[in-house]
Amino acid sequence: MTVAVRSVLFFTACLLLLGICQGEEWYRWRGPNLDGRTVQANWSGRFRGDQANIKWRASVGTGFSSFVATDELVFTSGHIDGQTIVNALSRESGDVAWKFAFEAPLDDRDFEGGPTSTPTIDGPFIYVVSRLGELFCLDRLTGQLSWKVNVANQADVRLPGWGCAGAPLVVGNLVIINIGESGVALNKDDGRIVWRSEDRESGYATPVPLKSDEKDAVVIASGKSYKAVTLESGEELWSIRWLTSFNCNAADPIIHDGQMFLSSGYNRGAALYQLGGTDPKVVWKSKEMKNQIHASVLLDESLFGIDGDMEAGARFRCLDWGTGEVLWSEEELRPGGFTLVDDAILLLTEDGDLVTAPATRQGWTPTSRVHVLDGKCWTAPVFSNGQIFCRTIQGEVVCVEVTQ
């Protein structure tokens, strides 16, 4: 083996090791596997001391949009002075790399208002859905508009009561958004509508891919059901009637090992379905997990989730996937959002504390807690390459460094 070859192999090994230490790139809502979990992060799950290592702070405007990130930039949206603004911030400094603004009402009926959807990165582009059903395709590096489609108008489908909230899902050459009864698919290169669904009210969850009887499909939350439709044509494969107050089905379905977990708030509860065949079959139903706005996260047959009305004070719980049995429940946290980092829970409280704990079936045993934000926090934190990104509803953003 030559010196040159040995050098290349050594350099490649270093890059692989660096990747293992930094974890996966978080390029879409709920992460690369759409499961709300970062893997291979190689983080202890503990903050050093009682102070967070704040790398930078920024202000992005009112909203609930979470974060997506590349090696250089982190993206989120907020509302300022009659506009929704897509912000691209430097991961190193928090400085604005670019902004893209479009006219949009705050629309603060029943809540603070602002954008509720999270952007999606796909190759050189980033896709953004507005609450009014517009889909924007932007250059990821410059923010320059590539194309824009008012999907609600072109597909002739109504908007849900609080506007579009699900993130765009890019699969193959399609970008799918949750609008209409079972979604609308567009060509990701030019915004051409490939298929549309009936003009009925959508839900607020993000579409989730599904392999059904060798067919590529996607599960869509409508206002009154969860439906599986084919990616090719939007043809319905099955539908589960799922009625929730205000048609507010906001939590993404979790699909695992031939089964699917659904949950909604407003006292709707949860259920596990067996997939396969013509129609899904109920495995169990329960009122013990009511995901109002945040989907649960599954790890090793354990479901971790926020149960109950966020405004009234929700609780953090763990259920057994197979039976729905409550394994433990923490009543006093007032969780605002959470994610899993390897096998650790990273939870942002409503008051801006980051709390960590092992994700186990044995109980809630926090290992560290630091205060990072002042203000109401209802957006899930994101862990990416040794950094944690959190925000308040009013748009204050903090980047916490955890690799040092």
Side-chain angles (χ1 to χ4, degrees):
M1 184 182 295
T2 66
V3 173
V5 170
R6 284 198 298 268
S7 298
V8 169
L9 291 175
F10 176 76
F11 180 67
T12 302
C14 289
L15 287 177
L16 290 171
L17 181 60
L18 182 63
I20 289 172
C21 292
Q22 293 184 335
E24 299 168 303
E25 195 171 78
W26 196 273
Y27 66 90
R28 60 183 178 182
W29 166 248
R30 281 172 64 82
N33 299 313
L34 296 168
D35 58 0
R37 181 177 179 231
T38 299
V39 297
Q40 297 182 333
N42 195 30
W43 179 45
S44 66
R46 293 173 181 267
F47 299 102
R48 292 183 178 179
D50 58 359
Q51 298 291 322
N53 182 14
I54 304 294
K55 188 172 179 66
W56 49 259
R57 294 182 184 272
S59 184
V60 298
T62 302
F64 294 74
S65 176
S66 187
F67 303 90
V68 290
T70 64
D71 287 344
E72 297 84 20
L73 299 174
V74 58
F75 306 85
T76 189
S77 297
H79 184 277
I80 300 175
D81 296 334
Q83 294 183 316
T84 286
I85 299 174
V86 183
N87 298 270
L89 307 174
S90 163
R91 291 183 65 127
E92 178 61 28
S93 65
D95 292 343
V96 175
W98 56 257
K99 290 185 177 182
F100 177 82
F102 56 90
E103 298 295 320
L106 177 62
D107 194 5
D108 55 350
R109 178 172 57 91
D110 301 327
F111 72 119
E112 291 82 353
T116 49
S117 175
T118 298
T120 298
I121 298 169
D122 183 70
F125 299 107
I126 183 165
Y127 296 88
V128 179
V129 173
S130 76
R131 288 178 61 193
L132 295 179
E134 305 150 298
L135 178 62
F136 300 86
C137 176
L138 309 176
D139 184 285
R140 175 169 59 85
L141 295 179
T142 67
Q144 182 177 359
L145 179 65
S146 178
W147 53 260
K148 165 195 168 185
V149 174
N150 188 318
V151 182
N153 288 345
Q154 289 210 11
D156 195 21
V157 292
R158 73 193 70 181
L159 293 168
W162 286 282
C164 292
L169 174 69
V170 178
V171 185
N173 290 323
L174 300 178
V175 54
I176 299 167
I177 66 172
N178 189 0
I179 187 171
E181 186 180 34
S182 52
V184 173
L186 303 94
N187 184 298
K188 73 175 185 180
D189 295 326
D190 56 17
R192 175 175 48 87
I193 291 179
V194 178
W195 52 258
R196 59 179 289 277
S197 57
E198 295 296 319
D199 177 26
R200 298 190 178 92
E201 187 168 346
S202 70
Y204 301 88
T206 295
V208 173
L210 168 71
K211 194 77 169 180
S212 178
D213 294 332
E214 304 305 317
K215 294 181 179 178
D216 291 320
V218 63
V219 180
I220 306 271
S222 82
K224 299 181 184 300
S225 63
Y226 281 80
K227 295 178 179 293
V229 299
T230 64
L231 277 176
E232 182 179 12
S233 66
E235 176 190 3
E236 182 175 309
L237 299 176
W238 49 254
S239 177
I240 295 173
R241 184 175 169 84
W242 191 266
L243 302 180
T244 304
S245 297
F246 315 112
N247 296 331
C248 195
N249 293 323
D252 302 351
I254 298 174
I255 299 169
H256 166 67
D257 198 20
Q259 296 180 314
M260 181 175 68
F261 173 79
L262 301 180
S263 181
S264 294
Y266 306 96
N267 204 37
R268 177 62 176 89
L272 185 71
Y273 290 86
Q274 185 67 48
L275 302 178
T278 306
D279 296 308
K281 307 298 182 187
V282 175
V283 178
W284 54 259
K285 289 185 176 182
S286 171
K287 293 283 189 182
E288 300 293 346
M289 185 66 89
K290 301 173 288 292
N291 296 154
Q292 184 186 24
I293 60 174
H294 295 289
S296 295
V297 178
L298 175 67
L299 177 65
D300 297 336
E301 306 301 313
S302 301
L303 273 167
F304 301 89
I306 298 175
D307 171 56
D309 187 329
M310 298 289 290
E311 199 66 62
R315 54 191 172 185
F316 195 65
R317 319 194 91 176
C318 177
L319 268 61
D320 180 76
W321 170 268
T323 66
E325 175 191 0
V326 178
L327 300 176
W328 54 262
S329 184
E330 178 61 30
E331 308 292 322
E332 306 300 329
L333 269 175
R334 291 194 72 92
F338 78 104
T339 187
L340 260 59
V341 182
D342 287 329
D343 296 338
I345 297 165
L346 176 65
L347 184 144
L348 181 65
T349 69
E350 185 176 276
D351 296 329
D353 286 358
L354 277 174
V355 189
T356 62
T360 73
R361 298 165 69 88
Q362 283 68 49
W364 173 255
T365 52
T367 51
S368 60
R369 182 169 189 148
V370 293
H371 185 72
V372 296
L373 285 166
D374 293 322
K376 187 176 177 182
C377 304
W378 277 15
T379 298
V382 164
F383 183 103
S384 173
N385 289 351
Q387 294 176 323
I388 300 169
F389 303 101
C390 313
R391 66 171 294 168
T392 66
I393 294 174
Q394 295 306 321
E396 298 307 308
V397 171
V398 65
C399 171
V400 179
E401 191 97 73
V402 296
T403 53
Q404 298 173 351

